[in-house]
Each structure stands twice: as C-alpha cells, then as structure tokens.
C-alpha cells in the first residue's frame, strides 16, 4: 500500500541518517555485556577459603569442615569452603564429593615426594586454586588455610576486616622477615640466601584484586615458580608489586605451650590458630572461641 511504502522510505532515511549512532550504540552494548557477563555467571560471596590437602587427610578435612559449618551460624556473611586435592586422587575422595561437594580437583601432585624442591605440590595447588577462584567467584577476600588450622572467618569478616585499609591490594597474615633459604642447594636455585618477607603458610588472606592479578599473570605463558616452601614462594610472586603486606600477630601457632617464635597464647582476638589437635577442635565453644 501507499502508506506502507512511505513508511519504508522514512525508515530507510532514518537508518541512513543515524546508522553510525545506532551501530556505535550496539557495539557499546556488546562491549558492556562482554565485561559484565562473566561477573554475572560467578558466585558472589564475601570470602572464599581454600585448603590444600592430600587426599589421605580425611580426618583433618572433617575437623575443618565441621567447624566451618558451625561458624556459619555465627556470621551473617557468606563464605565458601574448598579443599584442593590432586585430580589423580579423585577416587579416594569420591564419597566426600557426593556428600559435601566442596572438593576442588587440580592437576598437581598429591604430595611432595623428595627432591628436587623446584616442584612443590602445595605451591601448584595454591596457584591452581587461585586461578579457579578468580574465574568462578566474586569475593572481597580469599584465604589460604592449612588443613590443621582453625580460621575464625566470622571474626575476620565481622571485626578484623572493618579496620583494614580500604581500596588497596592486601596480603594479610603473620609475616616472616629475613627467613633463611634452608633447603640444601635451593639458594643457588633462587639466587639468594634469604627470602623476601612472606606470610607464614599456616594461613594468609588476599583481597580479590591480588587474586585476580596472580590469575591473570599466570595466563601470560611465562609462569610462576612452583618451588618449595610454598608460603615463601607465594611471597616471591608478589615482590615488586604495590601490594600492602599487613602483618598480624593474631595468626599464630596453638597456645603458649610451644616454645616457638610463632607461638602465642590464643585469645578472643585470635584470627587463625595452627597445629590444631582433635582435643583442641573439640574445645571450641559455641562462640567460636578455643579454650587454650
């Protein structure tokens, strides 16, 4: 019809006049979606806690898992627990996968087996876990915790985090300074005799931006050292970066019974307590406090 023909002509004129704007708008929408879509598919939590562990350490995972679930009742924040296990050992933890769904399989050895120390299973697990977490979660903090350590994550999120610097990349833990490279021959491998400062492997916490950096840098092809000891190696990954190292004495070994420079009498201010025994796990009260 005449009206239909006129409408088509007007539409053609409109497109001819404004196609550049329309095309630019469409491209902008596509770019925005490409940036937002990956975030929409991620799980949103305040904290991800990952625990590198050999498949054989079921008793340790049970203790950590049980207390983690108890702690959920003490916090209004959301947290995700992941145990990082070698993919080669999947059959050994099949029942846990079906029951709890908190096992992350990675392509690393299950445990370190002798020399050389240039290849550490735990360093590998930490790196693979950080890459996975960056791709699947949006979180304020990511914590690496030992499988024999009690991390009071409700206290960390509810109290400690409020006093941390805001808007800066953080690496939080109990830092060791001027630590000697004690493995025979490893000083030649590293090219120095003392490690730069690093957080003790009992447990440490990253802000999300640090995790994203490590994950992104690991994809560039050069790769990070995955040597031993894992905690010192993680510190090496961050040398030269504008990452704030935030030392806290409240990350410590169990009670003052240890004649060790990391030992502290645990208290209501304890954030993480290392070398937990079965008896000590059982002595955590309903407030999440350990009677030391």
């Amino acid at each position: 019809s005449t009206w239909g023909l006129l409408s088509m002509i007007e539409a053609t004129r409109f497109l001819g006049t404004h196609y550049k704007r329309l095309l630019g708008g469409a491209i902008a929408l596509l770019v925005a979606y490409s940036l937002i879509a990956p975030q929409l598919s991620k799980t949103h939590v305040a904290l991800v806690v990952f625990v590198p562990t050999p498949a054989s350490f079921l008793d340790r995972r049970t203790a950590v898992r049980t207390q983690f679930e108890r702690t959920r009742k003490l916090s209004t924040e959301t947290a995700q627990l992941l145990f990082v296990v070698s993919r080669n050992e999947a059959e050994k933890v099949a029942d846990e996968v079906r029951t709890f769904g908190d096992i992350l399989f990675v392509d690393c050895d299950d445990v370190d087996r002798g020399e050389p120390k240039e290849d550490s299973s735990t360093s590998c697990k930490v790196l693979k876990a950080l890459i996975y977490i960056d791709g699947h979660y949006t979180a304020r903090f990511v914590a690496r915790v030992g499988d024999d350590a009690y991390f009071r994550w409700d206290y960390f999120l509810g109290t400690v985090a409020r006093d941390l610097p805001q808007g800066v990349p953080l690496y939080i833990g109990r830092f060791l300074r001027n630590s000697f490279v004690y493995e025979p021959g490893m000083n030649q491998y590293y090219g120095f005799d003392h490690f730069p400062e690093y957080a003790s492997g009992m447990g440490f916490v990253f802000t999300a931006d640090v995790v994203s950096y490590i994950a992104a840098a690991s994809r560039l092809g050069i790769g990070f050292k995955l040597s031993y000891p894992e905690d010192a190696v993680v510190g090496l990954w961050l040398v030269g970066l504008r990452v704030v190292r935030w030392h806290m004495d409240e990350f410590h070994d169990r009670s003052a019974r240890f004649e060790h420079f990391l030992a502290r009498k645990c208290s209501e201010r304890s954030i993480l307590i290392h070398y937990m025994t079965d008896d000590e796990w059982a002595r955590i009260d309903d407030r999440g406090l350990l009677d030391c």
Side-chain angles (χ1 to χ4, degrees):
S1 66
T2 301
W3 286 109
L5 179 60
L6 290 174
S7 297
M8 291 179 62
I9 292 172
E10 289 299 320
T12 301
R13 288 176 178 173
F14 178 84
L15 290 173
T17 303
H18 300 285
Y19 81 95
K20 289 185 178 180
R21 292 181 180 177
L22 293 171
L23 180 61
I27 292 174
L29 287 172
L30 288 173
V31 171
Y33 178 78
S34 68
L35 295 174
I36 296 173
Q39 302 301 318
L40 295 177
S41 64
K42 294 182 180 181
T43 300
H44 300 269
V45 293
L47 169 73
V48 178
V49 178
F50 73 95
V51 182
T53 180
S56 58
F57 283 8
L58 173 59
D59 56 338
R60 293 190 178 188
R61 289 192 296 278
T62 299
V64 171
R65 184 183 286 129
T66 299
Q67 185 56 43
F68 194 91
E69 292 304 316
R70 288 183 66 194
T71 304
R72 288 190 192 277
K73 301 175 183 178
L74 303 174
S75 178
T76 58
E77 300 275 14
T78 55
Q80 176 66 53
L81 175 64
L82 296 172
F83 293 101
V84 187
V85 178
S86 171
R87 195 181 308 277
N88 295 332
E89 306 295 326
E91 291 185 4
K92 296 180 180 179
V93 296
D95 289 342
E96 290 177 79
V97 172
R98 287 190 291 268
T99 304
F100 304 106
D102 56 7
I103 303 292
L104 170 61
F105 292 114
V106 293
D107 294 320
C108 304
D109 289 337
D110 192 45
V111 295
D112 292 327
R113 294 183 173 85
E115 303 292 344
K117 293 296 185 181
E118 290 87 348
D119 186 16
S120 165
S121 67
T122 309
S123 298
C124 179
K125 288 177 178 178
V126 168
L127 181 60
K128 299 284 188 181
L130 293 174
I131 294 171
Y132 176 87
I133 291 167
D134 181 65
H136 292 79
Y137 292 90
T138 56
R140 291 167 56 202
F141 300 100
V142 176
R144 178 264 194 257
V145 175
D147 60 11
D148 58 350
Y150 172 34
F151 178 43
R152 296 179 59 209
W153 61 266
D154 61 314
Y155 173 64
F156 176 83
L157 290 175
T159 301
V160 176
R162 297 175 185 174
D163 296 327
L164 295 173
Q166 302 298 309
V168 296
L170 293 175
Y171 173 26
I172 307 160
R174 186 180 185 86
F175 281 86
L176 308 181
R177 297 176 175 87
N178 203 34
S179 179
F180 186 68
V181 181
Y182 55 84
E183 289 289 332
M186 289 300 288
N187 58 335
Q188 297 179 3
Y189 172 74
Y190 286 119
F192 48 73
D193 293 325
H194 294 83
F195 287 109
E197 64 176 348
Y198 63 91
S200 169
M202 66 174 76
F204 47 80
V205 182
F206 292 135
T207 47
D209 45 6
V210 179
V211 175
S212 294
Y213 166 80
I214 293 173
S218 69
R219 300 187 185 103
L220 296 179
I222 297 176
F224 290 109
K225 288 182 181 294
L226 297 177
S227 43
Y228 180 90
E230 163 260 332
D231 48 5
V233 171
V234 171
L236 287 177
W237 297 348
L238 302 177
V239 168
L241 300 181
R242 293 179 179 176
V243 174
V244 177
R245 288 157 173 78
W246 197 259
H247 174 84
M248 303 194 75
D249 286 333
E250 291 78 13
F251 288 74
H252 58 77
D253 289 341
R254 63 179 186 189
S255 78
R257 290 172 296 169
F258 276 14
E259 295 298 327
H260 189 278
F261 72 102
L262 291 182
R264 293 292 184 275
K265 182 72 174 177
C266 48
S267 69
E268 293 184 358
R269 293 174 56 86
S270 296
I271 299 171
L272 182 144
I273 304 166
H274 196 203
Y275 297 133
M276 293 285 288
T277 65
D278 291 342
D279 177 64
E280 286 166 332
W281 283 112
R283 295 211 315 271
I284 299 173
D285 66 21
D286 291 337
R287 298 172 298 161
L289 299 178
L290 170 61
D291 178 13
C292 295

